[in-house]
Amino acid sequence: MTDWIWVGEVIADVEQATFIFTFKNNSDQPILIEFPTSQAYDYTVYNAQGEPVYHFSKGRFFLQVIQHKSLNGGEQIQWKSTWNYKTNDGKRVPAGTYTVKPILTVWKINDKRVHSMPVTSFTFNIPPENTAIR
C-alpha cells in the first residue's frame, strides 16, 4: 500500500463530461507534493480503438512556477475539468465508449523526486448527440 492514491471519476451527460481527479493522502502522516509548473494534472481521452482523440494540455500554456500542496493524513485534493466531446481539432466525437488517462504532473512527493508520474484510467460512455437542441 502506498501513502497516497490517485484516482478519477466522470459524470457524462449529453453535452459534456466532467472529470474529477483526486489525490489522497492515504497515510496518517502529513504529505507534501510539489509541482514544477501551475499545471497539476494532464489527461488524454482515447476512443474504443485506443486512439487518442483529445489531449487536455495541447495548445495550453502553464506558468513556470513551483507549487507546493500540503495534505494532512486522510486529506485529499480534487481537480475538476470539463470536456465538450470535441477533439483538439474541434470535431465532436461519436457516441461510444472512451477511456481517459489522467496523469498527476507532480515533481516531488515529500521532497523525493518522482520519476514516474502517477497515472490512472477509467472508461465511460458518451451518449448520442442531442441534435434537437442545435
Side-chain angles (χ1 to χ4, degrees), residues 15-35:
E15 295 296 316
Q16 68 183 15
T18 300
F19 301 123
I20 303 167
F21 307 128
T22 304
F23 180 85
K24 182 178 181 182
N25 180 352
N26 213 26
S27 74
D28 57 0
Q29 299 296 313
I31 194 169
L32 179 68
I33 57 176
E34 186 175 310
F35 301 93

Side-chain angles (χ1 to χ4, degrees), residues 38-54:
S38 63
Q39 181 183 17
Y41 62 86
D42 199 359
Y43 63 89
T44 303
V45 178
Y46 299 87
N47 63 18
Q49 292 74 39
E51 302 162 332
V53 296
Y54 178 75

